[in-house]
Amino acid sequence: MKTLMVQGTTSDAGKSTLVAGLCRVLYRKGVKVAPFKPQNMALNSAVTSDGGEIGRAQAVQAQACGLSPHTDMNPVLLKPNSDTGCQVVIQGKVVCNLEATGYHAYKPTAMRAVLDSYARLVLQYDVIVVEGAGSPAEINLREGDIANMGFAEAVDCPVILIADIDRGGVFAHIVGTLALLSESERARVVGFVINRFRGDIALLQSGLDWLEAETGKPIIGVIPYLHDLHIEAEDAVPNTASSQGESAENKLRIIVPILPHISNHTDFDALRLHPQVDFQFVKINEIIPAADLIILPGSKNVRGDLEHLRANGWEQALTKHLRYGGKVLGICGGFQMLGTQMHDPNAIEGLAGSSIGFGWLEMETTLTQEKRLVLVSGELSFADAKVTGYEIHMGVSTGIALNQPALILNGQPEGAISQDNQIAGTYLHGLFDHAESCAAWLTWAGLKELNAQFDYEQVRETGLERLADCLEQHLDWDKLSNL
């Protein structure tokens, strides 16, 4: 058996992190390993080497394996654009928008894509480490399941169940999950991993002994709470404070509104961790704090999120911010909001129609059926700095604002900067991941003295190595090797 699946008792139990760590451990041992997630529902995504789109977590897991991301690593990606509907991405390409009931009927088609991608990976790699989605015990989602036990049963692979002890109720989570599985599914669970443990392990031992006796299944490991570990989030917006470093008065203040349909908020991980940045995600209905730079992020429903911003006073706050010399940057959907109008004639992101933008850049955007998915590299137009990243968008922007581009990507002008140098916008994701580009944008935003270039790419790599070291120490590798 060359496949092992990690499922969780709850969302955010640590599935993505455990898979990334297992992949890195195996990679360090010389094993040819690849990640796989049959179905992912997330608005954080990445562009792949074969020109498609997958969940951001699988791109990080690919990095842990020393691989370039590929669409076969996440064949089904669901990108919510309303409370009941989502864009369906199959093997990297958009195929349709579906409401929840419509997707339920679509699952057999999606499963064929899942098994097709999985079969290709099995032929190429020694080991496949699979990540489930949410919990396998969601009764209302069991029929036609392709994300958890439905997949495990289809390919006949063993399952590790991971549970988060930090949120409480870990024994109930594990035993309750097993109780809601079928007999064959319970037999497929080969052991448990308890995640985010704080304290003296001796005080937990009686509970571990009881759990093994009660279930007849082994504890494969207890992973300690790894403070300040950075592994990019699959979807949830981080609630951690900005990085430590200089005193707040010496930092550049940056805020980002949490839009109802915010996408690719991992764009800002480098800023959250930067020692000279005081970064804050701000809920859309909270008091808007003072800042040097306000960044409007990507969105899966740009017109809808623009109206939410207006309804909660952000247009007035942004106008005041600009009047007092602050800078504004829009990324992807946030870039589109900076223009004069947005048009969605084909109801791609909601109801068909047009919306008035903030009007600070002379351009209009029209959403089209074809999504642009491309890896790009180039340089900033206003500084001697290289940049790499990717574009994921369905909008085409036109207007005189684009005559003053913010970047030159793949030899072509991209984005825009206003004449007064206060407002900028771009479709590029990963804008701050490259040290040179990050430093240049912070200087543009008002950071007076850059102490040293912050290498976010190295931070990400260091996090994977630290995670792998932890798993090597705290997992029972004899039990894992038997799997």
Side-chain angles (χ1 to χ4, degrees):
M1 180 62 64
K2 60 190 300 185
T3 299
L4 177 65
M5 188 170 193
V6 175
Q7 296 182 17
T9 57
T10 61
S11 294
D12 198 34
K15 297 183 295 292
S16 297
T17 301
L18 180 57
V19 169
L22 289 172
C23 285
R24 176 50 62 98
V25 171
L26 293 170
Y27 171 68
R28 296 198 308 196
K29 293 178 181 295
V31 176
K32 194 176 181 184
V33 57
F36 185 72
K37 182 156 185 168
Q39 175 188 290
N40 194 350
M41 179 176 284
L43 288 176
N44 288 337
S45 58
V47 173
T48 62
S49 56
D50 56 328
E53 179 183 11
I54 63 172
R56 187 73 197 161
Q58 281 61 66
V60 175
Q61 291 161 0
Q63 179 183 345
C65 299
L67 300 173
S68 296
H70 191 280
T71 52
D72 280 339
M73 296 173 183
N74 176 208
V76 178
L77 175 62
L78 307 178
K79 305 189 76 174
N81 50 25
S82 71
D83 289 343
T84 59
C86 63
Q87 183 182 81
V88 180
V89 180
I90 300 293
Q91 293 176 330
K93 302 298 183 183
V94 175
V95 295
C96 58
N97 285 306
L98 289 174
E99 294 296 303
T101 53
Y103 179 69
H104 186 71
Y106 183 80
K107 280 183 179 180
T109 300
M111 185 58 151
R112 288 194 288 273
V114 166
L115 296 177
D116 178 50
S117 288
Y118 171 74
R120 280 195 291 267
L121 291 179
V122 166
L123 293 176
Q124 299 174 66
Y125 297 97
D126 300 328
V127 175
I128 311 297
V129 185
V130 185
E131 179 188 343
S135 162
E138 304 290 354
I139 301 302
N140 57 310
L141 301 176
R142 294 287 300 281
E143 184 181 354
D145 169 58
I146 69 173
N148 289 299
M149 284 299 179
F151 171 79
E153 295 265 80
V155 304
D156 190 24
C157 72
V159 172
I160 291 176
L161 196 61
I162 185 171
D164 178 7
I165 195 171
D166 192 56
R167 67 177 65 194
V170 69
F171 299 112
H173 286 165
I174 292 173
V175 174
T177 297
L178 289 178
L180 294 174
L181 299 179
S182 70
E183 183 177 347
S184 65
E185 292 168 347
R186 278 194 298 274
R188 194 167 294 286
V189 176
V190 294
F192 313 117
V193 171
I194 293 178
N195 192 26
R196 300 188 182 112
F197 176 72
R198 312 177 195 234
D200 186 346
I201 191 69
L203 298 177
L204 183 63
Q205 191 59 51
S206 62
L208 301 181
D209 294 340
W210 175 89
L211 184 61
E212 289 190 330
E214 177 71 17
T215 64
K217 299 178 185 295
I219 305 294
I220 294 174
V222 177
I223 304 174
Y225 197 108
L226 293 176
H227 295 277
D228 301 321
L229 175 70
H230 177 69
I231 302 292
E232 291 177 5
E234 183 169 66
D235 200 41
V237 177
N239 56 12
T240 54
S242 186
S243 66
Q244 302 298 311
E246 298 185 12
S247 60
E249 60 267 22
N250 295 324
K251 292 183 177 183
L252 189 77
R253 300 166 299 170
I254 301 177
I255 64 173
V256 173
I258 303 176
L259 305 177
H261 304 94
I262 188 172
S263 63
N264 285 77
H265 60 71
T266 50
D267 282 341
F268 311 114
D269 283 359
L271 299 180
R272 289 196 307 113
L273 300 171
H274 198 292
Q276 290 183 267
V277 172
D278 179 9
F279 181 91
Q280 185 178 354
F281 280 114
V282 180
K283 292 181 180 178
I284 202 167
N285 58 351
E286 287 182 337
I287 295 174
I288 304 167
D292 301 296
L293 171 64
I294 299 177
I295 306 179
L296 300 179
S299 165
K300 199 66 196 70
N301 189 328
V302 181
R303 292 170 58 221
D305 283 354
L306 174 63
E307 292 310 309
H308 279 285
L309 284 172
R310 283 200 167 107
N312 286 277
W314 280 83
E315 185 165 25
Q316 296 91 325
L318 286 162
T319 301
K320 180 179 178 181
H321 170 77
L322 289 168
R323 187 167 63 246
Y324 283 90
K327 298 291 181 78
V328 172
L329 173 64
I331 298 178
C332 202
F335 176 34
Q336 296 171 355
M337 293 180 187
L338 296 175
T340 56
Q341 290 192 80
M342 287 171 290
H343 311 288
D344 187 2
N346 299 309
I348 291 171
E349 290 188 351
L351 295 175
S354 297
S355 296
I356 303 298
F358 288 131
W360 293 314
L361 294 176
E362 283 293 324
M363 68 175 201
E364 297 185 9
T365 299
T366 300
L367 297 188
T368 59
Q369 297 285 359
E370 184 176 351
K371 179 180 285 192
R372 177 171 170 80
L373 298 164
V374 61
L375 297 170
V376 293
S377 61
E379 56 277 331
L380 305 184
S381 64
F382 59 89
D384 183 16
K386 296 179 181 178
V387 63
T388 59
Y390 54 97
E391 293 183 37
I392 301 178
H393 60 93
M394 303 184 82
V396 176
S397 298
T398 58
I400 61 174
L402 306 180
N403 294 336
Q404 188 166 321
L407 308 96
I408 305 297
L409 299 178
N410 293 358
Q412 299 297 318
E414 198 280 330
I417 291 187
S418 62
Q419 292 290 335
D420 61 8
N421 202 39
Q422 274 193 274
I423 302 164
T426 176
Y427 277 115
L428 183 68
H429 294 287
L431 196 62
F432 309 108
D433 290 2
H434 195 285
E436 287 184 20
S437 176
C438 183
W441 281 107
L442 295 181
T443 300
W444 173 80
L447 188 62
K448 294 181 173 57
E449 185 177 350
L450 192 70
N451 293 340
Q453 285 192 353
F454 175 69
D455 191 343
Y456 172 67
E457 294 169 335
Q458 184 57 50
V459 169
R460 189 161 47 196
E461 184 66 19
T462 299
L464 288 170
E465 285 293 298
R466 181 185 171 201
L467 176 60
D469 289 342
C470 177
L471 295 189
E472 289 225 59
Q473 179 181 353
H474 293 282
L475 295 185
D476 188 329
W477 285 91
D478 288 336
K479 293 175 182 175
L480 280 172
S481 296
N482 291 335
L483 301 179

mmCIF file with all atom_site columns, all heavy atoms in Angstrom, residues 304-319:
data_model
loop_
_atom_site.group_PDB
_atom_site.id
_atom_site.type_symbol
_atom_site.label_atom_id
_atom_site.label_alt_id
_atom_site.label_comp_id
_atom_site.label_asym_id
_atom_site.label_entity_id
_atom_site.label_seq_id
_atom_site.pdbx_PDB_ins_code
_atom_site.Cartn_x
_atom_site.Cartn_y
_atom_site.Cartn_z
_atom_site.occupancy
_atom_site.B_iso_or_equiv
_atom_site.pdbx_formal_charge
_atom_site.auth_seq_id
_atom_site.auth_comp_id
_atom_site.auth_asym_id
_atom_site.auth_atom_id
_atom_site.pdbx_PDB_model_num
ATOM 1   N N   . GLY A 1 304 ? -20.277 42.397 -4.798 1.00 0.00 ? 304 GLY A N   1
ATOM 2   C CA  . GLY A 1 304 ? -20.951 42.224 -3.518 1.00 0.00 ? 304 GLY A CA  1
ATOM 3   C C   . GLY A 1 304 ? -20.105 42.731 -2.359 1.00 0.00 ? 304 GLY A C   1
ATOM 4   O O   . GLY A 1 304 ? -20.601 43.406 -1.449 1.00 0.00 ? 304 GLY A O   1
ATOM 5   N N   . ASP A 1 305 ? -18.810 42.429 -2.379 1.00 0.00 ? 305 ASP A N   1
ATOM 6   C CA  . ASP A 1 305 ? -17.928 42.872 -1.295 1.00 0.00 ? 305 ASP A CA  1
ATOM 7   C C   . ASP A 1 305 ? -17.718 44.389 -1.328 1.00 0.00 ? 305 ASP A C   1
ATOM 8   O O   . ASP A 1 305 ? -17.556 45.020 -0.276 1.00 0.00 ? 305 ASP A O   1
ATOM 9   C CB  . ASP A 1 305 ? -16.586 42.151 -1.381 1.00 0.00 ? 305 ASP A CB  1
ATOM 10  C CG  . ASP A 1 305 ? -16.675 40.718 -0.856 1.00 0.00 ? 305 ASP A CG  1
ATOM 11  O OD1 . ASP A 1 305 ? -17.739 40.351 -0.329 1.00 0.00 ? 305 ASP A OD1 1
ATOM 12  O OD2 . ASP A 1 305 ? -15.689 39.976 -0.978 1.00 0.00 ? 305 ASP A OD2 1
ATOM 13  N N   . LEU A 1 306 ? -17.735 44.969 -2.512 1.00 0.00 ? 306 LEU A N   1
ATOM 14  C CA  . LEU A 1 306 ? -17.650 46.431 -2.619 1.00 0.00 ? 306 LEU A CA  1
ATOM 15  C C   . LEU A 1 306 ? -18.838 47.081 -1.924 1.00 0.00 ? 306 LEU A C   1
ATOM 16  O O   . LEU A 1 306 ? -18.682 48.073 -1.188 1.00 0.00 ? 306 LEU A O   1
ATOM 17  C CB  . LEU A 1 306 ? -17.599 46.841 -4.092 1.00 0.00 ? 306 LEU A CB  1
ATOM 18  C CG  . LEU A 1 306 ? -17.649 48.340 -4.384 1.00 0.00 ? 306 LEU A CG  1
ATOM 19  C CD1 . LEU A 1 306 ? -16.433 49.060 -3.805 1.00 0.00 ? 306 LEU A CD1 1
ATOM 20  C CD2 . LEU A 1 306 ? -17.731 48.582 -5.892 1.00 0.00 ? 306 LEU A CD2 1
ATOM 21  N N   . GLU A 1 307 ? -20.020 46.537 -2.110 1.00 0.00 ? 307 GLU A N   1
ATOM 22  C CA  . GLU A 1 307 ? -21.198 47.096 -1.449 1.00 0.00 ? 307 GLU A CA  1
ATOM 23  C C   . GLU A 1 307 ? -21.113 46.924 0.067  1.00 0.00 ? 307 GLU A C   1
ATOM 24  O O   . GLU A 1 307 ? -21.542 47.807 0.824  1.00 0.00 ? 307 GLU A O   1
ATOM 25  C CB  . GLU A 1 307 ? -22.470 46.433 -1.999 1.00 0.00 ? 307 GLU A CB  1
ATOM 26  C CG  . GLU A 1 307 ? -22.753 46.789 -3.448 1.00 0.00 ? 307 GLU A CG  1
ATOM 27  C CD  . GLU A 1 307 ? -22.708 48.289 -3.707 1.00 0.00 ? 307 GLU A CD  1
ATOM 28  O OE1 . GLU A 1 307 ? -23.383 49.048 -2.969 1.00 0.00 ? 307 GLU A OE1 1
ATOM 29  O OE2 . GLU A 1 307 ? -21.963 48.703 -4.633 1.00 0.00 ? 307 GLU A OE2 1
ATOM 30  N N   . HIS A 1 308 ? -20.549 45.816 0.524  1.00 0.00 ? 308 HIS A N   1
ATOM 31  C CA  . HIS A 1 308 ? -20.355 45.628 1.965  1.00 0.00 ? 308 HIS A CA  1
ATOM 32  C C   . HIS A 1 308 ? -19.387 46.672 2.516  1.00 0.00 ? 308 HIS A C   1
ATOM 33  O O   . HIS A 1 308 ? -19.589 47.211 3.617  1.00 0.00 ? 308 HIS A O   1
ATOM 34  C CB  . HIS A 1 308 ? -19.830 44.229 2.251  1.00 0.00 ? 308 HIS A CB  1
ATOM 35  C CG  . HIS A 1 308 ? -20.898 43.174 2.271  1.00 0.00 ? 308 HIS A CG  1
ATOM 36  N ND1 . HIS A 1 308 ? -21.785 43.029 3.321  1.00 0.00 ? 308 HIS A ND1 1
ATOM 37  C CD2 . HIS A 1 308 ? -21.220 42.211 1.366  1.00 0.00 ? 308 HIS A CD2 1
ATOM 38  C CE1 . HIS A 1 308 ? -22.605 42.025 3.063  1.00 0.00 ? 308 HIS A CE1 1
ATOM 39  N NE2 . HIS A 1 308 ? -22.292 41.517 1.887  1.00 0.00 ? 308 HIS A NE2 1
ATOM 40  N N   . LEU A 1 309 ? -18.333 46.962 1.779  1.00 0.00 ? 309 LEU A N   1
ATOM 41  C CA  . LEU A 1 309 ? -17.393 48.001 2.208  1.00 0.00 ? 309 LEU A CA  1
ATOM 42  C C   . LEU A 1 309 ? -18.104 49.349 2.327  1.00 0.00 ? 309 LEU A C   1
ATOM 43  O O   . LEU A 1 309 ? -17.943 50.062 3.323  1.00 0.00 ? 309 LEU A O   1
ATOM 44  C CB  . LEU A 1 309 ? -16.229 48.108 1.220  1.00 0.00 ? 309 LEU A CB  1
ATOM 45  C CG  . LEU A 1 309 ? -15.156 47.020 1.270  1.00 0.00 ? 309 LEU A CG  1
ATOM 46  C CD1 . LEU A 1 309 ? -14.187 47.173 0.111  1.00 0.00 ? 309 LEU A CD1 1
ATOM 47  C CD2 . LEU A 1 309 ? -14.389 47.075 2.592  1.00 0.00 ? 309 LEU A CD2 1
ATOM 48  N N   . ARG A 1 310 ? -18.877 49.680 1.326  1.00 0.00 ? 310 ARG A N   1
ATOM 49  C CA  . ARG A 1 310 ? -19.595 50.964 1.352  1.00 0.00 ? 310 ARG A CA  1
ATOM 50  C C   . ARG A 1 310 ? -20.581 51.024 2.513  1.00 0.00 ? 310 ARG A C   1
ATOM 51  O O   . ARG A 1 310 ? -20.677 52.029 3.217  1.00 0.00 ? 310 ARG A O   1
ATOM 52  C CB  . ARG A 1 310 ? -20.337 51.164 0.032  1.00 0.00 ? 310 ARG A CB  1
ATOM 53  C CG  . ARG A 1 310 ? -19.447 51.582 -1.126 1.00 0.00 ? 310 ARG A CG  1
ATOM 54  C CD  . ARG A 1 310 ? -20.279 52.223 -2.242 1.00 0.00 ? 310 ARG A CD  1
ATOM 55  N NE  . ARG A 1 310 ? -19.415 52.897 -3.186 1.00 0.00 ? 310 ARG A NE  1
ATOM 56  C CZ  . ARG A 1 310 ? -19.145 52.446 -4.418 1.00 0.00 ? 310 ARG A CZ  1
ATOM 57  N NH1 . ARG A 1 310 ? -19.683 51.306 -4.834 1.00 0.00 ? 310 ARG A NH1 1
ATOM 58  N NH2 . ARG A 1 310 ? -18.347 53.121 -5.220 1.00 0.00 ? 310 ARG A NH2 1
ATOM 59  N N   . ALA A 1 311 ? -21.300 49.942 2.727  1.00 0.00 ? 311 ALA A N   1
ATOM 60  C CA  . ALA A 1 311 ? -22.315 49.919 3.781  1.00 0.00 ? 311 ALA A CA  1
ATOM 61  C C   . ALA A 1 311 ? -21.710 50.050 5.169  1.00 0.00 ? 311 ALA A C   1
ATOM 62  O O   . ALA A 1 311 ? -22.395 50.451 6.119  1.00 0.00 ? 311 ALA A O   1
ATOM 63  C CB  . ALA A 1 311 ? -23.129 48.629 3.685  1.00 0.00 ? 311 ALA A CB  1
ATOM 64  N N   . ASN A 1 312 ? -20.425 49.732 5.304  1.00 0.00 ? 312 ASN A N   1
ATOM 65  C CA  . ASN A 1 312 ? -19.778 49.776 6.610  1.00 0.00 ? 312 ASN A CA  1
ATOM 66  C C   . ASN A 1 312 ? -18.778 50.927 6.742  1.00 0.00 ? 312 ASN A C   1
ATOM 67  O O   . ASN A 1 312 ? -17.921 50.907 7.624  1.00 0.00 ? 312 ASN A O   1
ATOM 68  C CB  . ASN A 1 312 ? -19.078 48.447 6.888  1.00 0.00 ? 312 ASN A CB  1
ATOM 69  C CG  . ASN A 1 312 ? -20.060 47.342 7.229  1.00 0.00 ? 312 ASN A CG  1
ATOM 70  O OD1 . ASN A 1 312 ? -20.498 47.209 8.365  1.00 0.00 ? 312 ASN A OD1 1
ATOM 71  N ND2 . ASN A 1 312 ? -20.425 46.536 6.228  1.00 0.00 ? 312 ASN A ND2 1
ATOM 72  N N   . GLY A 1 313 ? -18.898 51.928 5.865  1.00 0.00 ? 313 GLY A N   1
ATOM 73  C CA  . GLY A 1 313 ? -18.141 53.158 6.041  1.00 0.00 ? 313 GLY A CA  1
ATOM 74  C C   . GLY A 1 313 ? -16.727 53.165 5.503  1.00 0.00 ? 313 GLY A C   1
ATOM 75  O O   . GLY A 1 313 ? -15.973 54.127 5.749  1.00 0.00 ? 313 GLY A O   1
ATOM 76  N N   . TRP A 1 314 ? -16.359 52.157 4.736  1.00 0.00 ? 314 TRP A N   1
ATOM 77  C CA  . TRP A 1 314 ? -14.977 52.097 4.270  1.00 0.00 ? 314 TRP A CA  1
ATOM 78  C C   . TRP A 1 314 ? -14.686 53.111 3.173  1.00 0.00 ? 314 TRP A C   1
ATOM 79  O O   . TRP A 1 314 ? -13.544 53.593 3.062  1.00 0.00 ? 314 TRP A O   1
ATOM 80  C CB  . TRP A 1 314 ? -14.648 50.686 3.785  1.00 0.00 ? 314 TRP A CB  1
ATOM 81  C CG  . TRP A 1 314 ? -14.341 49.768 4.927  1.00 0.00 ? 314 TRP A CG  1
ATOM 82  C CD1 . TRP A 1 314 ? -15.236 49.094 5.711  1.00 0.00 ? 314 TRP A CD1 1
ATOM 83  C CD2 . TRP A 1 314 ? -13.048 49.433 5.444  1.00 0.00 ? 314 TRP A CD2 1
ATOM 84  N NE1 . TRP A 1 314 ? -14.587 48.366 6.675  1.00 0.00 ? 314 TRP A NE1 1
ATOM 85  C CE2 . TRP A 1 314 ? -13.246 48.541 6.538  1.00 0.00 ? 314 TRP A CE2 1
ATOM 86  C CE3 . TRP A 1 314 ? -11.751 49.779 5.097  1.00 0.00 ? 314 TRP A CE3 1
ATOM 87  C CZ2 . TRP A 1 314 ? -12.183 48.017 7.267  1.00 0.00 ? 314 TRP A CZ2 1
ATOM 88  C CZ3 . TRP A 1 314 ? -10.690 49.252 5.822  1.00 0.00 ? 314 TRP A CZ3 1
ATOM 89  C CH2 . TRP A 1 314 ? -10.908 48.389 6.899  1.00 0.00 ? 314 TRP A CH2 1
ATOM 90  N N   . GLU A 1 315 ? -15.662 53.475 2.357  1.00 0.00 ? 315 GLU A N   1
ATOM 91  C CA  . GLU A 1 315 ? -15.392 54.447 1.303  1.00 0.00 ? 315 GLU A CA  1
ATOM 92  C C   . GLU A 1 315 ? -15.019 55.794 1.911  1.00 0.00 ? 315 GLU A C   1
ATOM 93  O O   . GLU A 1 315 ? -14.044 56.441 1.490  1.00 0.00 ? 315 GLU A O   1
ATOM 94  C CB  . GLU A 1 315 ? -16.601 54.599 0.385  1.00 0.00 ? 315 GLU A CB  1
ATOM 95  C CG  . GLU A 1 315 ? -16.323 55.520 -0.802 1.00 0.00 ? 315 GLU A CG  1
ATOM 96  C CD  . GLU A 1 315 ? -17.361 55.393 -1.885 1.00 0.00 ? 315 GLU A CD  1
ATOM 97  O OE1 . GLU A 1 315 ? -18.506 54.991 -1.586 1.00 0.00 ? 315 GLU A OE1 1
ATOM 98  O OE2 . GLU A 1 315 ? -17.034 55.686 -3.050 1.00 0.00 ? 315 GLU A OE2 1
ATOM 99  N N   . GLN A 1 316 ? -15.765 56.218 2.931  1.00 0.00 ? 316 GLN A N   1
ATOM 100 C CA  . GLN A 1 316 ? -15.433 57.468 3.604  1.00 0.00 ? 316 GLN A CA  1
ATOM 101 C C   . GLN A 1 316 ? -14.082 57.385 4.309  1.00 0.00 ? 316 GLN A C   1
ATOM 102 O O   . GLN A 1 316 ? -13.286 58.325 4.270  1.00 0.00 ? 316 GLN A O   1
ATOM 103 C CB  . GLN A 1 316 ? -16.519 57.827 4.626  1.00 0.00 ? 316 GLN A CB  1
ATOM 104 C CG  . GLN A 1 316 ? -17.892 58.107 4.024  1.00 0.00 ? 316 GLN A CG  1
ATOM 105 C CD  . GLN A 1 316 ? -18.749 56.845 3.945  1.00 0.00 ? 316 GLN A CD  1
ATOM 106 O OE1 . GLN A 1 316 ? -18.252 55.750 3.706  1.00 0.00 ? 316 GLN A OE1 1
ATOM 107 N NE2 . GLN A 1 316 ? -20.057 57.029 4.140  1.00 0.00 ? 316 GLN A NE2 1
ATOM 108 N N   . ALA A 1 317 ? -13.820 56.244 4.927  1.00 0.00 ? 317 ALA A N   1
ATOM 109 C CA  . ALA A 1 317 ? -12.541 56.081 5.630  1.00 0.00 ? 317 ALA A CA  1
ATOM 110 C C   . ALA A 1 317 ? -11.366 56.095 4.660  1.00 0.00 ? 317 ALA A C   1
ATOM 111 O O   . ALA A 1 317 ? -10.316 56.696 4.946  1.00 0.00 ? 317 ALA A O   1
ATOM 112 C CB  . ALA A 1 317 ? -12.557 54.779 6.420  1.00 0.00 ? 317 ALA A CB  1
ATOM 113 N N   . LEU A 1 318 ? -11.526 55.447 3.525  1.00 0.00 ? 318 LEU A N   1
ATOM 114 C CA  . LEU A 1 318 ? -10.461 55.443 2.520  1.00 0.00 ? 318 LEU A CA  1
ATOM 115 C C   . LEU A 1 318 ? -10.231 56.844 1.954  1.00 0.00 ? 318 LEU A C   1
ATOM 116 O O   . LEU A 1 318 ? -9.090  57.262 1.731  1.00 0.00 ? 318 LEU A O   1
ATOM 117 C CB  . LEU A 1 318 ? -10.809 54.466 1.392  1.00 0.00 ? 318 LEU A CB  1
ATOM 118 C CG  . LEU A 1 318 ? -10.667 52.980 1.728  1.00 0.00 ? 318 LEU A CG  1
ATOM 119 C CD1 . LEU A 1 318 ? -11.441 52.132 0.732  1.00 0.00 ? 318 LEU A CD1 1
ATOM 120 C CD2 . LEU A 1 318 ? -9.197  52.576 1.726  1.00 0.00 ? 318 LEU A CD2 1
ATOM 121 N N   . THR A 1 319 ? -11.324 57.569 1.720  1.00 0.00 ? 319 THR A N   1
ATOM 122 C CA  . THR A 1 319 ? -11.203 58.944 1.215  1.00 0.00 ? 319 THR A CA  1
ATOM 123 C C   . THR A 1 319 ? -10.444 59.815 2.203  1.00 0.00 ? 319 THR A C   1
ATOM 124 O O   . THR A 1 319 ? -9.546  60.587 1.825  1.00 0.00 ? 319 THR A O   1
ATOM 125 C CB  . THR A 1 319 ? -12.599 59.529 0.949  1.00 0.00 ? 319 THR A CB  1
ATOM 126 O OG1 . THR A 1 319 ? -13.285 58.710 -0.005 1.00 0.00 ? 319 THR A OG1 1
ATOM 127 C CG2 . THR A 1 319 ? -12.504 60.949 0.423  1.00 0.00 ? 319 THR A CG2 1
#
